[in-house]
Amino acid sequence: MYTDLPVDQLATYLGSQSEPADFDGFWARTLEEAQAHPLGLVLEPVETVLSTVDVWDVTFNGYGGEPIRAWLRVPSGASGQLPGVVQFVGYGGGRGDAHENLFWASCGFAHLEMDTRGQGAGWSTGVTPDAAGSAGPQGQGVMTRGVTDPGTYYYRRLTTDAVRAVQALRSLERVDSARCAAVGMSQGGGLAVAAAALAPELAAIVAKVPFLSDIPRALQVTDAYPFRELVDYLAIHRTRVQQVHQTLQYFDSINFAKRAKVPALFSVGLMDEITPPSTVYAAYNNYSGPKELQVWPFNGHEAGGIEDDVAAVAFLRRVLASGSAGSANPAD
């Protein structure tokens, strides 16, 4: 059922999140520190049972020079440069198995699926530890990891990984660096919005029901996890409310959206309890670049499902002006 703002109010809602004075400086310093480490891109071919998609096990250096894993999937037998898509995964998931998630490569894209540090036990497996916070993947809990300071917060590391994943994709010779997009759903959608702001060399993004938007409102209007993790934390750490909210300002999709200029396709489900519709609209309405929004009145966090995926392919083919398919070893 509808539990959020009326549709006419959603259309103009801009959110309740504040912007820290040093937002740009914080991220400039963070990315400068990351750039001090070589990208260290390594690709190892993976033997699979697939006949239409070739797969590589990818490692690159993310935040702090820490190794991040990914899959690269490319349509078999293609030649020349392909449009590229880097995909960020939803909360609790990792990159999964090499045989999974063949949609983007089957549509003719070079598809880099980034593993999510410290996650990968909720619904899809992961292998990348969050070296700064834990020994390995976990299902829940990262929402509050290091949340008392923006410098130690988990999403500083993960967002930096996402920017470095864009660089990894664009550095492949078999990928057309001028035709690269970021896509994601929920947490992945929030990372796509952040990447649009922090990696302006992207050509487009697709952000399905983006998470981490208008966090102050989300904590008041939904009881669902993972936002609920912050509520649980603040119910115990009662004196840290202001401190935590000040940290979250640096990671809210609203503040990234204001700085993003590349074409974007958003989607929202008006019955979504995990990323309430008003929070998605807040990101969309603040987005500074060309934008489109798919609205699904009777859907929740799944939003448009396969319709969203098909629309995303059509959107990216149009925006990226996709040319002829190609491949061979994408690292050559």
Side-chain angles (χ1 to χ4, degrees):
M1 63 182 181
Y2 290 176
T3 59
D4 210 334
L5 296 174
V7 174
D8 59 338
Q9 293 182 30
L10 291 173
T12 58
Y13 179 68
L14 294 174
S16 59
Q17 183 60 277
S18 302
E19 181 178 308
D22 66 335
F23 182 92
D24 293 316
F26 171 83
W27 282 109
R29 293 190 301 273
T30 297
L31 297 182
E32 184 178 0
E33 292 171 8
Q35 290 296 108
H37 301 278
L39 190 58
L41 184 63
V42 176
L43 286 83
E44 297 289 342
V46 178
E47 185 173 342
T48 71
V49 299
L50 303 172
S51 59
T52 60
V53 174
D54 297 327
V55 184
W56 286 262
D57 191 350
V58 178
T59 305
F60 65 91
N61 293 329
Y63 177 88
E66 297 164 357
I68 307 299
R69 301 286 289 278
W71 295 123
L72 176 66
R73 302 181 180 94
V74 175
S76 296
S79 60
Q81 290 190 318
L82 289 168
V85 167
V86 56
Q87 183 175 15
F88 308 124
V89 180
Y91 194 84
R95 67 174 184 168
D97 186 83
H99 295 84
E100 296 179 302
N101 199 2
L102 308 180
F103 178 80
W104 288 103
S106 298
C107 291
F109 294 84
H111 173 219
L112 184 72
E113 183 180 20
M114 186 184 84
D115 202 20
T116 310
R117 62 165 63 225
Q119 299 185 44
W123 55 272
S124 179
T125 58
V127 294
T128 303
D130 181 17
S134 72
Q138 64 187 69
Q140 292 184 345
V142 299
M143 282 292 288
T144 61
R145 185 175 297 168
V147 74
T148 57
D149 188 299
T152 60
Y153 191 38
Y154 169 82
Y155 279 99
R156 183 188 188 208
R157 301 188 291 279
L158 185 61
T159 302
T160 303
D161 295 345
V163 174
R164 297 283 273 178
V166 172
Q167 296 171 0
L169 178 67
R170 295 183 71 248
S171 71
L172 301 172
E173 279 196 29
R174 289 300 184 184
V175 172
D176 185 345
S177 63
R179 293 189 294 151
C180 289
V183 304
M185 179 175 182
S186 193
Q187 174 184 258
L191 290 173
V193 175
L198 299 177
E201 60 271 18
L202 281 169
I205 68 162
V206 175
K208 298 190 285 185
V209 291
F211 180 55
L212 292 174
S213 177
D214 198 8
I215 300 171
R217 176 169 174 80
L219 300 189
Q220 296 175 8
V221 301
T222 181
D223 199 39
Y225 290 96
F227 277 124
R228 177 60 188 264
E229 291 180 20
L230 289 165
V231 174
D232 292 344
Y233 178 91
L234 293 174
I236 301 299
H237 299 280
R238 302 177 183 91
T239 63
R240 296 183 177 177
V241 173
Q242 182 178 1
Q243 185 179 12
V244 167
H245 277 298
Q246 287 174 343
T247 291
L248 296 172
Q249 292 174 355
Y250 291 89
F251 306 94
D252 199 300
S253 295
I254 287 177
N255 291 331
F256 288 120
K258 293 176 181 177
R259 293 160 170 81
K261 306 296 183 185
V262 304
L265 176 64
F266 286 74
S267 69
V268 61
L270 296 188
M271 293 185 174
D272 192 343
E273 296 180 352
I274 295 174
T275 56
S278 58
T279 70
V280 176
Y281 270 90
Y284 176 78
N285 290 336
N286 278 283
Y287 195 87
S288 294
K291 57 193 177 185
E292 302 174 24
L293 176 65
Q294 297 206 124
V295 181
W296 304 100
F298 297 102
N299 288 93
H301 198 53
E302 77 283 1
I306 188 61
E307 278 82 10
D308 272 344
D309 292 334
V310 172
V313 172
F315 170 77
L316 291 184
R317 284 176 175 167
R318 170 166 50 88
V319 172
L320 303 181
S322 181
S324 60
S327 178
N329 189 327
D332 292 341

